Amino acid sequence: MMTSGNLAYFTKTRNLRLHHKIHTVRELRAAVCRTQPSTDISNGAVDEASVCTSTSDSESERVRCEISSSRQYVDREEFGEHGAAFLSGNYYPVVQEVTASCSCNERKAVDENPSMRVVGTIPTDFPLGQYAYVGPNPKFPVEHYKRWGQGPGQQDFGLGVGWHHWFEGDGMIYATDFCAGEKVKYRNRFIRTTSWERETKHGARIFRPLMNADGPTFLANALANFVQSGKFMKDSANTALLHFAGRTYALQDTCPPWELDAETLDTVSASTFDGKLPWYVPFTAHPKILPWTGELVFFGFNPVSPPHCTVGTLTPQGEVSSVNPLWSLPFVGSIFMHDFCVTEHFTIIFEGSMDIKPIRQILGIHPLQYNEGKRARFGVLNRGARSNNVSWFNCSCAQMVYHFINAWEDKNAKGEQLIVIVGVREDGFFHEAMRPNGSSAWVQQAVRIGDKIPRVHEWKINLVTGEVAEEYLFHVPMETPRINDKFVGMQNRYAYAGRILLSELETSTQLKFDAIVKIDLHERKTTVYEHGPNRYGMEAQFIARPGSEEEDDGWLIMYVHDESNMSADYQGCTQCVILDARNLEAGPVASISLPERVPYGAHCMWRADMIRPGETFKGAAHDTNVVAVDAKINPQNRPKLFAFTDSQKGELLDATARGISRLALGLFVHGWSPRIAFDDVSRYAFVRGAGLRLQELNGLEKARARQSNAEKMSDGLLIPTLELYDIEDDGSCRLVREVLNILDVAYVCKPCSQHLSKYRSELELLRGVPTGSEQIPYLRDTRDERVKKIGPDAIIQYLYNEYLDGEKPSFLVSLVGWFSKASARTNKTSGFTGSSTVLEQPLVFWAYEASPFCAVVRKALYELGLPHVVLPCARGSIRRDALYKRVGAFQVPFLEDPNTGVSLFESSDIVDYLKRMYTS
Ligand SMILES: [Fe+2]
């Protein structure tokens, strides 16, 4: 809900924007720039920092991000304090998988794709590649994430319940590709792990919460998970991304890496690196690639099964070269580990003070606790020695680190060897701040005292004396630090991290970064770029300028979410922002407004070998291939059977009556026949049960088979060769469409109204006759420019010759055709009401002629003059199976808009979308 205070602020912010009219990043750069000291949250020390801030880009309001239906806040009573925080606002999950692309050219981008565009200038030497981010994004509607037992399909068995935890949400990847031809492409995809597939098929959560399940509930839930799924905990692959040796992986501490198809981002499978990674070794979310050898070093932390800690390496080719189990403590417990360090010769693991002790369940508390009595320590392994000997070095007290910045080898004045480690020390802060309830009060207390706030800290391990010298380097609250990856394991100067907005943590317990901080370890100073009012950044990736030698010569790229104008149905817009790492004060050099928001998540990566390694965004040769555009929907967004609005009743009744009067012609594919077969849940079935399904066959034989094979090869998105110019409500045109359904032939429809339209003019040129005297329907086949068929008889004869090996039309077709001709040409076409929208690609319309629901959508497409590919789905069509496989359900109408990545099922939703997007 928007309070009066929020409303006043919103109004003030909006008025400011209207007055200033900041339209471009160049203007934005000059908007507000100031210098101020950063806030000291602990001991009065003040870091010198130059601070630059921006306002929201006012033009971002024009970008449509209203696709996800959602609410701003969920209830703390029902979801718990933590669950409510991490399911609200921009933590609210997105439901749709989208694909969209646009040109980098600002003006052209607005014209091409109103839902995605580039503001500012992507530097000419910016490399081709992919910025990708991942985070938890629960797939079911939020009511499934209430306190366990209150959500749909959940049962409490009396041992307590448990609450949803942010870490347990399903993984989703959000990728922005910088492609040849100055194109930018955006995609988001669920990571379809075994757990994801299992719960999706079930239609509700199976895995009970563990992170927020106290005492005996933890064990009961873990056992219930194992009984139902064979796993104690859910594998979500929601924490980090890795692109290594040509392969892309989604990572989570407690599960194996999940490989994604690097090109499509589809989930491939859990990876064992060709069977060489043992099943008991989970793969860290923070592996390190050694810049000097190209090898990858990893560790595995297993909280359940021994060995609890393992270290290993991969060759630059991605093959496992070593796996060394370190220790097992089956009854005592294990230490929670999230990150580690490497230097030239050493691998350094960190045993912080968060430990897991099964006995705590008997005491009624969660087995994972921040243990004030456990002193943290570093374990140093000599990689060259290839032994499992770990040398331990104790820290001064209990400590916790989620993320290290870097580590390197050095010597002191006495010539003694040191290992220098820099990281964000937080001493159990996030563990406490993410408790299911009571976390706000705890955070307020922690912020007031200040000693547990995440800050950059340095440890110097003296390998000769065994001493560990410690100090905080900065007092700005920060997290998710990154560096220039070329300096991993070597002494470096710069790091980049998100500044935590403590006031937000105190009030809503939401973790948000209101600024990006550049850390200078040499000068011990920071430069801060504030994202602007209501704007929050996600983890930043450093991208080196091609050929650069200086450590900070490059860019920072990150998603920044604008929470301005948030309401019950609108969670704001996200931009992909590029900053010059050497000149943060100048503000973004470019920002890309995305077609869908990116919920706040976890970690990011940069993939440099995506298309043409080494080529830059504008130096690359233009790619003549149009960027492939695809659209998928989350099976959660399943269609509702026979859903329609009150305003549609008249149209539906009219369409139903029309279908009856035409003897349901076009409802069945030629030669339709039913058959009982053994069930296969991956296939469409009209009816299924008792292990059987009703299979529908057709008699289209060879000619149709050739076309269907071609469609399969292109994932159902083949652009057909047939182009039909027709009128929606004309009897003869309808007869042609019915025959196309009977023959199951896809075609491009170019709607012509009785009034002037783009396609009427096009037809006039094709026919070489004045407007009004052209004959419609008109069909041409782009395979042969001589094929231009006019009128229903010629077209139908051509279709039967071409697609049914010369058979004659059935008696039913002839009968309805006779009625169509006899019943005078009423041609009661609706007037052309849409704009002459030029679409980069036609819409894709899965439908069949006899369906009244499809008729409602078809009417809107014709009225708006929108070209569309019709993929007929009459009974017996193979496309029913294709759609089922594509989106996990079959129902038509189903519309895909490859220009925006939007895909929708419901006729009312589709009509609303079309009018919103394409009415001038
Ligand atoms: Fe992490």
Side-chain angles (χ1 to χ4, degrees):
M1 289 176 62
M2 182 173 277
T3 64
S4 57
N6 286 340
L7 184 61
Y9 181 76
F10 159 72
T11 307
K12 182 180 172 188
T13 308
R14 184 179 175 80
N15 288 342
L16 273 174
R17 282 203 228 106
L18 290 173
H19 282 127
H20 288 301
K21 289 279 182 187
I22 300 169
H23 288 296
T24 68
V25 171
R26 290 182 202 86
E27 291 169 290
L28 186 148
R29 286 177 188 167
V32 186
C33 192
R34 60 195 163 84
T35 300
Q36 68 175 33
S38 60
T39 308
D40 176 14
I41 45 77
S42 60
N43 57 7
V46 174
D47 303 316
E48 187 179 332
S50 59
V51 179
C52 191
T53 186
S54 79
T55 62
S56 300
D57 176 4
S58 61
E59 290 204 352
S60 69
E61 291 172 2
R62 291 166 48 182
V63 176
R64 300 159 198 258
C65 286
E66 66 274 34
I67 296 164
S68 292
S69 60
S70 50
R71 289 187 295 160
Q72 188 172 359
Y73 295 112
V74 298
D75 186 72
R76 285 187 171 194
E77 291 292 320
E78 293 179 310
F79 293 84
E81 202 173 312
H82 169 80
F86 285 87
L87 290 168
S88 294
N90 193 41
Y91 281 101
Y92 197 98
V94 295
V95 298
Q96 192 153 252
E97 295 178 326
V98 301
T99 300
S101 63
C102 71
S103 167
C104 76
N105 179 287
E106 185 175 345
R107 186 68 251 161
K108 195 178 169 190
V110 171
D111 293 338
E112 281 186 348
N113 189 342
S115 68
M116 183 179 178
R117 64 194 180 86
V118 180
V119 177
T121 304
I122 296 175
T124 54
D125 50 354
F126 193 81
L128 298 182
Q130 179 185 76
Y131 168 71
Y133 183 70
V134 70
N137 184 67
K139 63 179 168 295
F140 295 120
V142 288
E143 56 264 30
H144 287 253
Y145 302 94
K146 291 178 179 175
R147 178 178 178 162
W148 182 270
Q150 296 180 355
Q154 297 170 6
Q155 289 183 336
D156 171 22
F157 42 59
L159 284 174
V161 282
W163 306 84
H164 171 68
H165 192 283
W166 184 44
F167 291 176
E168 294 174 334
D170 303 284
M172 179 174 268
I173 181 172
Y174 315 86
T176 300
D177 297 355
F178 295 84
C179 310
E182 299 180 23
K183 282 265 186 182
V184 182
K185 180 177 178 182
Y186 173 78
R187 289 170 292 175
N188 67 319
R189 295 287 184 271
F190 275 105
I191 296 157
R192 289 160 161 78
T193 63
T194 307
S195 306
W196 190 97
E197 294 283 3
R198 194 178 291 271
E199 287 191 329
T200 301
K201 280 184 182 168
H202 182 61
R205 288 171 75 191
I206 293 174
F207 289 89
R208 292 161 187 261
L210 291 183
M211 288 296 294
N212 274 334
D214 278 346
T217 305
F218 181 93
L219 181 59
N221 282 358
L223 290 173
N225 289 344
F226 188 79
V227 168
Q228 290 191 76
S229 66
K231 293 176 187 290
F232 288 111
M233 63 184 71
K234 186 173 181 175
D235 53 353
S236 296
N238 62 13
T239 308
L241 298 166
L242 167 70
H243 186 76
F244 185 68
R247 292 182 170 182
T248 297
Y249 304 94
L251 310 172
Q252 186 193 33
D253 289 331
T254 52
C255 72
W258 275 83
E259 184 175 351
L260 310 181
D261 184 304
E263 305 311 319
T264 65
L265 302 183
D266 289 342
T267 305
V268 178
S269 64
S271 175
T272 57
F273 296 98
D274 300 322
K276 292 180 180 173
L277 184 72
W279 64 269
Y280 54 81
V281 180
F283 196 87
T284 174
H286 293 287
K288 312 293 183 203
I289 298 172
L290 307 180
W292 54 90
T293 65
E295 291 176 294
L296 182 144
V297 183
F298 67 91
F299 77 94
F301 147 70
N302 192 330
V304 178
S305 326
H308 293 301
C309 186
T310 304
V311 293
T313 53
L314 301 180
T315 66
Q317 292 73 40
E319 295 172 355
V320 174
S321 52
S322 69
V323 176
N324 299 315
L326 293 183
W327 62 83
S328 301
L329 302 165
F331 301 108
V332 177
S334 60
I335 308 297
F336 174 78
M337 303 169 75
H338 183 66
D339 199 359
F340 76 128
C341 304
V342 291
T343 66
E344 184 179 355
H345 299 99
F346 302 107
T347 296
I348 303 118
I349 53 178
F350 177 68
E351 268 200 1
S353 302
M354 282 179 60
D355 53 18
I356 301 169
K357 293 184 182 297
I359 195 168
R360 288 184 181 132
Q361 294 170 74
I362 299 171
L363 304 174
I365 58 175
H366 197 280
L368 173 66
Q369 295 293 333
Y370 181 72
N371 183 353
E372 295 276 4
K374 184 196 178 308
R375 193 194 281 195
R377 60 179 184 167
F378 289 97
V380 177
L381 293 96
N382 187 334
R383 283 197 305 277
R386 298 198 176 274
S387 75
N388 290 355
N389 292 334
V390 182
S391 301
W392 290 104
F393 300 87
N394 290 328
C395 300
S396 59
C397 57
Q399 298 173 6
M400 183 57 200
V401 177
Y402 270 90
H403 299 115
F404 291 102
I405 293 176
N406 201 10
W408 58 86
E409 296 165 24
D410 200 357
K411 288 189 177 175
N412 64 14
K414 297 179 184 174
E416 295 166 338
Q417 187 161 15
L418 307 176
I419 293 177
V420 181
I421 299 169
V422 185
V424 179
R425 178 177 159 184
E426 59 90 72
D427 293 5
F429 182 86
F430 288 117
H431 181 65
E432 300 292 343
M434 292 190 179
R435 286 197 179 283
N437 288 296
S439 46
S440 287
W442 187 91
V443 171
Q444 287 165 15
Q445 175 83 349
V447 170
R448 188 178 63 76
I449 298 172
D451 61 347
K452 293 181 183 296
I453 301 297
R455 289 161 290 161
V456 175
H457 187 272
E458 182 184 78
W459 298 260
K460 284 187 177 174
I461 302 172
N462 188 317
L463 295 181
V464 178
T465 66
E467 294 172 346
V468 180
E470 304 176 6
E471 66 171 321
Y472 279 104
L473 301 184
F474 302 95
H475 294 291
V476 180
M478 288 184 270
E479 252 299 356
T480 61
R482 294 296 297 270
I483 63 170
N484 181 338
D485 293 332
K486 292 178 186 171
F487 288 79
V488 168
M490 296 182 279
Q491 183 168 10
N492 74 312
R493 177 172 178 175
Y494 300 108
Y496 312 90
R499 185 176 73 181
I500 299 170
L501 184 59
L502 290 178
S503 60
E504 189 71 40
L505 259 176
E506 288 183 84
T507 53
S508 71
T509 66
Q510 286 190 329
L511 177 62
K512 293 181 183 175
F513 302 112
D514 67 340
I516 181 77
V517 183
K518 181 178 180 180
I519 300 162
D520 184 336
L521 296 169
H522 284 192
E523 299 287 334
R524 294 274 180 106
K525 68 175 186 181
T526 59
T527 303
V528 179
Y529 177 75
E530 294 180 342
H531 298 301
N534 305 314
R535 291 167 64 86
Y536 304 100
M538 303 176 213
E539 185 177 71
Q541 172 76 42
F542 178 86
I543 301 169
R545 191 185 305 277
S548 64
E549 295 184 357
E550 299 293 325
E551 182 185 336
D552 63 343
D553 188 7
W555 301 274
L556 294 178
I557 184 168
M558 73 202 81
Y559 292 133
V560 175
H561 186 73
D562 187 343
E563 294 190 359
S564 301
N565 308 344
M566 284 174 70
S567 66
D569 297 314
Y570 180 77
Q571 271 66 60
C573 291
T574 305
Q575 296 170 336
C576 181
V577 169
I578 301 172
L579 292 158
D580 185 337
R582 305 179 90 171
N583 192 11
L584 294 188
E585 296 89 336
V589 295
S591 59
I592 302 147
S593 296
L594 301 179
E596 174 68 292
R597 68 188 170 85
V598 176
Y600 302 130
H603 293 297
C604 64
M605 73 162 190
W606 175 253
R607 178 189 165 193
D609 69 348
M610 192 178 65
I611 299 175
R612 298 183 179 109
E615 290 200 34
T616 60
F617 191 65
K618 292 194 176 176
H622 278 243
D623 190 343
T624 53
N625 295 323
V626 174
V627 175
V629 175
D630 188 7
K632 295 185 176 181
I633 66 156
N634 173 8
Q636 168 197 334
N637 189 17
R638 285 177 181 275
K640 297 182 280 289
L641 280 175
F642 309 123
F644 57 89
T645 62
D646 286 345
S647 62
Q648 285 185 314
K649 284 179 182 172
E651 289 182 359
L652 283 167
L653 286 171
D654 184 45
T656 305
R658 201 192 305 160
I660 293 169
S661 71
R662 297 183 70 85
L663 308 176
L665 192 66
L667 178 59
F668 295 95
V669 168
H670 175 85
W672 174 86
S673 63
R675 192 179 75 174
I676 302 294
F678 286 113
D679 199 7
D680 177 353
V681 293
S682 68
R683 308 288 299 275
Y684 162 76
F686 180 52
V687 178
R688 62 180 6 123
L692 303 173
R693 68 184 176 115
L694 183 66
Q695 189 179 8
E696 296 174 279
L697 306 176
N698 63 58
L700 291 169
E701 301 179 351
K702 293 178 184 174
R704 180 62 187 81
R706 284 197 296 276
Q707 194 201 28
S708 66
N709 286 336
E711 284 186 35
K712 280 180 190 170
M713 288 172 63
S714 60
D715 199 17
L717 285 182
L718 177 74
I719 299 296
T721 62
L722 297 182
E723 292 184 350
L724 179 68
Y725 295 74
D726 82 329
I727 295 171
E728 197 272 332
D729 201 23
D730 177 86
S732 296
C733 292
R734 199 179 304 141
L735 181 64
V736 170
R737 295 198 303 265
E738 286 161 343
V739 167
L740 286 161
N741 276 253
I742 291 168
L743 300 179
D744 207 23
V745 179
Y747 60 101
V748 178
C749 177
K750 299 194 169 182
C752 301
S753 76
Q754 282 191 318
H755 307 284
L756 279 178
S757 79
K758 171 178 164 55
Y759 297 111
R760 198 123 203 180
S761 305
E762 190 175 296
L763 185 54
E764 177 190 335
L765 286 172
L766 281 170
R767 294 275 294 115
V769 295
T771 302
S773 60
E774 346 83 331
Q775 273 187 281
I776 297 175
Y778 177 91
L779 180 95
R780 66 173 181 154
D781 192 332
T782 56
R783 290 176 299 181
D784 184 349
E785 61 180 16
R786 294 168 299 181
V787 178
K788 296 171 182 175
K789 304 295 178 185
I790 303 164
D793 294 339
I795 293 173
I796 291 170
Q797 190 58 53
Y798 175 75
L799 293 174
Y800 271 86
N801 283 341
E802 194 66 21
Y803 294 102
L804 209 54
D805 299 329
E807 278 196 30
K808 288 187 177 179
S810 68
F811 172 74
L812 191 60
V813 171
S814 303
L815 181 65
V816 174
W818 184 85
F819 275 119
S820 297
K821 292 171 195 166
S823 59
R825 293 181 176 277
T826 53
N827 269 10
K828 293 185 300 179
T829 0
S830 303
F832 177 69
T833 55
S835 64
S836 296
T837 305
V838 178
L839 299 182
E840 183 179 348
Q841 295 181 78
L843 308 178
V844 179
F845 184 38
W846 301 68
Y848 61 96
E849 186 68 20
S851 160
F853 293 94
C854 298
V856 170
V857 175
R858 187 169 57 244
K859 185 178 177 188
L861 289 165
Y862 279 67
E863 284 183 350
L864 294 167
L866 296 169
H868 54 280
V869 172
V870 180
L871 298 177
C873 299
R875 305 214 67 88
S877 167
I878 62 160
R879 288 194 195 83
R880 292 190 167 222
D881 204 33
L883 183 58
Y884 185 83
K885 286 182 175 172
R886 185 170 175 75
V887 298
F890 174 80
Q891 186 171 304
V892 289
F894 178 62
L895 184 100
E896 296 177 276
D897 186 343
N899 306 287
T900 61
V902 169
S903 51
L904 295 163
F905 269 116
E906 307 301 334
S907 56
S908 56
D909 292 347
I910 296 171
V911 171
D912 286 348
Y913 169 78
L914 293 174
K915 288 180 176 174
R916 201 170 63 236
M917 286 296 293
Y918 297 114
T919 302
S920 56

